[in-house]
Amino acid sequence: MKDLLAYSTFSCKKFPERTHHHFRETVTSIAENIDRTVADIRQFEAEYQRPKNSVTLLAVSKKHSAESIEVAAQHGIHNFGENYLQEALEKILALKKLPLIWHFIGPIQSNKTRAIAENFDWVHSVDREKIAHRLSEQRSGEQVALNVCVQVNLSAEQSKSGTTLKSALEVCAVVAKLPGLTLRGLMAIPAPQSNFQEQRANFNQLAIEFRALAALYPTMDTLSMGMSNDFEAAIAEGSTMIRIGTALFGSRPI
Ligand SMILES: *Cc1c(COP(=O)(O)O)cnc(C)c1O
């Protein structure tokens, strides 16, 4: 058993006693963290009248090792999210033998699109037309189309990536017509918010936009929202894919 590598805390409305829960990055604790998180997801689906199994758990493995990913894969996780291209490519190569689904969820620079198009199954962080065009051109004709979520910046902070809610329609229209891409949905990372009702209010804005766009684009079936500290609110508001790092793998080394 590895030594204790990391601790983290997060708060949870339903289980306030978990507010200082310690997550340990060990084989046992990754398995326990997965079990607990999956149980929470199923409970929140029931509690907020969501269909059973309508929420997919995307394990965010950035800054965590290929070994940790392998442990998670052995405990039933198939979807993994990565933010940093070089680090991700090393892990994708190391884990080639496993049937994993790789999601790129970090900011995208133009010069990184080819490697993303060639090595990932999904991209959640498309926020401008130029990036969409490059990803489509660079996706090989032998691969199935790359699944794309358009990232929306709900708080319209200039420093963060994501298109504005107003421009989401334009970016979605471009993605929808590109042959190398399949438009699957919207993604957002709202500013961290500890109040449950305010978390819900932010996610609700994205959910409303998602429903309007999904009525226009039938391939849209994915609302990518919710992280370790706010996934209950995200599920309450209709999330279909939560992106969880800390609650599964422990806090990240800096
Ligand atoms: C790191 C990251 C996550 C996971 O965050 P946790 O708080 O560790 O669960 C989810 N989504 C994106 C885009 C991230 O960069």
Side-chain angles (χ1 to χ4, degrees):
M1 181 76 62
K2 276 194 283 178
D3 281 331
L4 200 68
L5 289 183
Y7 287 109
S8 81
T9 62
F10 79 111
S11 64
C12 177
K13 173 176 155 275
K14 293 301 293 180
F15 306 105
E17 74 278 8
R18 286 186 194 159
T19 296
H20 295 288
H21 200 103
H22 293 241
F23 294 105
R24 297 170 304 157
E25 191 187 18
T26 61
V27 170
T28 317
S29 62
I30 289 174
E32 287 169 0
N33 291 344
I34 290 171
D35 288 347
R36 186 188 51 252
T37 303
V38 170
D40 286 352
I41 293 170
R42 299 286 93 89
Q43 186 188 324
F44 297 147
E45 285 172 346
E47 188 169 335
Y48 297 101
Q49 287 84 46
R50 302 287 314 282
K52 190 168 193 282
N53 300 321
S54 59
V55 179
T56 298
L57 174 55
L58 168 56
V60 176
S61 45
K62 66 181 181 219
K63 305 267 184 105
H64 291 285
S65 64
E67 288 75 19
S68 292
I69 295 174
E70 200 163 357
V71 171
Q74 281 158 0
H75 283 85
I77 303 291
H78 307 292
N79 291 280
F80 291 90
E82 291 281 342
N83 294 53
Y84 309 107
L85 183 62
Q86 199 48 46
E87 177 196 327
L89 293 177
E90 287 166 23
K91 290 184 253 183
I92 292 172
L93 187 64
L95 297 166
K96 230 174 147 164
K97 61 183 191 300
L98 299 177
L100 305 180
I101 302 167
W102 293 98
H103 299 243
F104 192 82
I105 62 174
I108 305 174
Q109 296 159 268
S110 301
N111 63 346
K112 303 286 170 64
T113 52
R114 180 174 298 280
I116 293 172
E118 288 174 352
N119 291 283
F120 284 81
D121 304 292
W122 286 69
V123 180
H124 292 231
S125 42
V126 172
D127 61 358
R128 53 200 194 276
E129 294 181 24
K130 180 185 173 191
I131 295 296
H133 281 284
R134 289 176 67 95
L135 288 171
S136 178
E137 277 159 25
Q138 293 166 344
R139 184 73 167 177
S140 146
E142 284 146 43
Q143 292 173 289
V144 296
L146 184 62
N147 296 295
V148 166
C149 291
V150 169
Q151 184 177 351
V152 175
N153 182 351
L154 290 173
S155 38
E157 289 166 48
Q158 291 195 328
S159 57
K160 282 207 214 130
S161 22
T163 182
T164 60
L165 260 181
K166 275 188 182 166
S167 311
L169 171 62
E170 290 157 44
V171 182
C172 285
V174 169
V175 171
K177 66 169 208 275
L178 289 169
L181 310 181
T182 299
L183 176 63
R184 296 297 296 270
L186 298 181
M187 183 275 250
I189 314 169
Q193 176 59 260
S194 58
N195 180 281
F196 184 73
Q197 292 308 330
E198 288 176 28
Q199 290 175 352
R200 281 193 69 157
N202 282 332
F203 289 133
N204 183 256
Q205 288 184 58
L206 191 72
I208 288 171
E209 184 67 16
F210 172 73
R211 287 193 288 269
L213 290 168
L216 301 173
Y217 300 106
T219 58
M220 287 184 81
D221 57 5
T222 303
L223 187 48
S224 168
M225 61 185 197
M227 318 204 310
S228 294
N229 65 354
D230 58 12
F231 72 89
E232 178 180 353
I235 291 173
E237 293 298 335
S239 172
T240 69
M241 198 177 281
I242 57 171
R243 308 179 310 270
I244 307 293
T246 309
L248 297 180
F249 296 112
S251 65
R252 288 175 282 275
I254 306 150

